[in-house]
Structure formats: C-alpha cells, structure tokens
Amino acid sequence: MITIKNKAAISKMTVAGKLLSEILTDLKNVEMLGKSSADLDRIIELELKKRNLVSRTKGYMTYRHSSCISVNDEVVHGVPSEKRTFQNGDLVKVDVCASWNGYCADMARCFVVGQGERLAQIEKLVSVAEQALFAGASMAKAGGRLSDISAAVQQKVEAAGYGVVRDFAGHGIGKSMHEEPEVLNYGKAGQGPYLQAGMTIAIEPMITEGDYHVYVDKDGWTVKTVDQSWAAHVEDTILITNNGPVFLTRQ
Ligand code: MF3
Ligand code: CO
C-alpha cells in the first residue's frame, strides 16, 4: 500500500529532509584526502546526533553504520571501513537515511577527492546522474503515473551514453526507510500506480560509465559494477503535490 502523508507527517519529513541536507551539503567542506570511509561515517554520526536525527541504516538487518560510502566502481551500500582510505581522484558516494521524530529522509551525494586525471569525465558522470534525478522528479506530479519517473530517468542516462543500474531502485519513504512503491530507474512511461499529492518517494539513479550489470561483494553489502566501470549515485526525498515535486532534501 502506498501511504498518503497528512500535514503532520509532511512537516516532520520536511524537518528531517532539511536537517539531513545540511549534513550532506556541508560535507563538501570536509577534506576527504587521507580520511577513511570509517572516519567519514563517524563525522556523519556526530552530525546526526547534534540534530536529533536517528540513523535508519544502523541496525537495519546486519548493517552497523550511519552511512553507506561507496567509492569508484562501488555503486551503493559501501560499508565504511578503516581500511578504505580516499585517494586523489576518487569518486565518493555518500548515502544517509535518518529520521526525525519518527519520519525519514533519504539522500545521497557524490564527492570527488582532489583532482584526478579523469576529473572532467567523472564530473560529467555525476552531472548526468543529477540531471536524471531532476528529469525523473519533474514527472513526480499528481495525476502522472509512477513509471513516468522511471522512463525519464532512463532516457536521460542512456542519451548521455551511460548505463542505468536495474538491480536496485528508489522507493516510497515515510515512517519506514523503504515503503511502497518501488521507484525503478528504467521502464516504459504510462504504467504503474497513479501519483497523488501527499505521496513521498526517494528517487535515486545509480548510473555507470560502462555496462549496468552489478553484483554484491562478499561482504554481503557493497554493490559493485561487473566491468569495474565507475558509478555515480544521487538521491533525494521528494513530496508529490498537485503542483509538482517538492525536494525535501534540497531546502
Ligand atoms: N539509504 C539507502 C537507500 O537509499 C539504504 C541502504 S540499505 C543499507 O535506500 F542498509 F545498506 F544501508
Ligand atoms: Co534510498
């Protein structure tokens, strides 16, 4: 069942989104070079606590961390580790889901460490992931169909010559991190449930420089590309209204 959020739920999700976006936006001021993904996770954990945000990944199944940090050919669900130290030119994807007074926001952003030889290429990959998210979100309006979002994301990614990951998807969000519906990043427009004002969804394109096939690493979490091409991932939590999308994680 897709839940329609009332005013109270929407105002809590709005606060969750605003506080979470402060954290991820401020990460661009953090010197990544030489830090480990575990260091970055500790910074995020501290910032969540300061704002009374509760991590929803920590304690989710076997997951024990406040963020997912995925580097280069890791697409999503990278597990923070003391051993993973950021190098010049790395593409670091940070994904955090947290709740405020019981209501969640979910958000991911990309960061490039320093300046690698491939900086321009990587920035283009990240930019297309963002454009795909915006293209999908522009279809998130009452009266539209769920797969209008999916088709718009896929079109943007493939027009730029990149791959769109099929095995993971965006999702409804609210009291739980993952609610119905599943928001695919590919598909034909005009299908699936009708979108209604008060639905809240996380749109999160995962895109690859090469082939879109992925696998889960032996740690049981980290999703990597089969061909070792690099991937970008961006995510926003969005409220659907009669006048289009409201980005709860871009306030
Ligand atoms: N925040 C992630 C999402 O976008 C959830 C990852 S599940 C985890 O849906 F347990 F790996 F964190
Ligand atoms: Co998500």
Side-chain angles (χ1 to χ4, degrees), residues 77 95-97 105-108 169-173 177-178 201-204 206 233 235-237:
H77 304 172
D95 185 356
V96 182
C97 181
D106 197 355
M107 175 176 181
H171 46 91
I173 181 168
M177 170 167 68
H178 294 148
I201 55 171
I203 304 180
E204 48 179 320
M206 290 150 256
H233 172 225
E235 175 172 24
D236 279 305
T237 297

Side-chain angles (χ1 to χ4, degrees), residues 20 23-25 27-28 32 37 40-41 44 66-71 75-78 80 86 91-97 106-111 233-235:
L20 182 57
I23 298 175
L24 285 198
T25 306
L27 285 186
K28 66 174 179 303
M32 299 266 183
S37 56
L40 195 52
D41 183 67
I44 291 164
S66 300
S67 62
C68 296
I69 302 179
S70 314
V71 186
V75 184
V76 285
H77 304 172
F86 303 134
L91 172 56
V92 177
K93 282 86 62 175
V94 181
D95 185 356
V96 182
C97 181
D106 197 355
M107 175 176 181
R109 291 289 183 266
C110 295
F111 303 89
H233 172 225
V234 288
E235 175 172 24

Side-chain angles (χ1 to χ4, degrees), residues 99-113:
S99 56
W100 186 83
N101 278 16
Y103 282 86
C104 298
D106 197 355
M107 175 176 181
R109 291 289 183 266
C110 295
F111 303 89
V112 184
V113 180

Side-chain angles (χ1 to χ4, degrees), residues 3-250:
T3 58
I4 304 297
K5 273 73 181 181
N6 62 23
K7 268 195 177 160
I10 290 167
S11 65
K12 286 177 192 152
M13 290 185 71
T14 302
V15 176
K18 182 172 170 46
L19 294 173
L20 182 57
S21 67
E22 282 176 12
I23 298 175
L24 285 198
T25 306
D26 286 353
L27 285 186
K28 66 174 179 303
N29 302 320
V30 170
E31 175 59 82
M32 299 266 183
L33 192 65
K35 281 203 176 57
S36 69
S37 56
D39 292 333
L40 195 52
D41 183 67
R42 276 188 288 271
I43 292 172
I44 291 164
E45 180 156 338
L46 188 72
E47 295 301 322
L48 290 170
K49 287 220 170 73
K50 278 188 202 166
R51 293 169 176 79
N52 282 320
L53 287 167
V54 177
S55 167
R56 299 301 287 259
T57 54
K58 194 173 188 165
Y60 174 74
M61 300 200 270
T62 62
Y63 204 80
R64 293 286 168 266
H65 303 273
S66 300
S67 62
C68 296
I69 302 179
S70 314
V71 186
N72 302 347
D73 63 321
E74 299 168 352
V75 184
V76 285
H77 304 172
V79 181
S81 159
E82 309 291 349
K83 289 189 209 124
R84 187 74 196 237
T85 308
F86 303 134
Q87 317 280 322
N88 197 45
D90 278 354
L91 172 56
V92 177
K93 282 86 62 175
V94 181
D95 185 356
V96 182
C97 181
S99 56
W100 186 83
N101 278 16
Y103 282 86
C104 298
D106 197 355
M107 175 176 181
R109 291 289 183 266
C110 295
F111 303 89
V112 184
V113 180
Q115 311 233 330
E117 273 169 30
R118 296 213 304 132
L119 184 64
Q121 278 165 273
I122 302 310
E123 283 179 340
K124 185 176 170 228
L125 182 72
V126 172
S127 157
V128 170
E130 276 164 4
Q131 288 170 41
L133 195 160
F134 289 135
S138 73
M139 305 309 284
K141 49 180 185 256
R145 303 285 289 268
L146 180 63
S147 81
D148 298 349
I149 299 171
S150 314
V153 170
Q154 180 177 22
Q155 200 276 330
K156 197 51 109 177
V157 176
E158 291 181 350
Y162 297 129
V164 62
V165 172
R166 268 73 161 166
D167 293 352
F168 296 85
H171 46 91
I173 181 168
K175 279 187 183 169
S176 299
M177 170 167 68
H178 294 148
E179 297 185 354
E180 285 180 38
E182 194 172 41
V183 183
L184 299 178
N185 291 308
Y186 67 98
K188 206 165 138 270
Q191 298 175 339
Y194 282 92
L195 301 173
Q196 290 176 47
M199 289 180 178
T200 44
I201 55 171
I203 304 180
E204 48 179 320
M206 290 150 256
I207 79 169
T208 58
E209 281 190 289
D211 185 82
Y212 63 76
H213 286 94
V214 297
Y215 69 99
V216 179
D217 187 77
K218 52 184 178 319
D219 65 12
W221 285 103
T222 311
V223 175
K224 299 168 88 168
T225 57
V226 172
D227 67 2
Q228 300 189 331
S229 68
W230 288 21
H233 172 225
V234 288
E235 175 172 24
D236 279 305
T237 297
I238 282 157
L239 166 69
I240 296 171
T241 74
N242 290 319
N243 309 314
V246 175
F247 283 79
L248 301 181
T249 41
R250 289 181 190 260

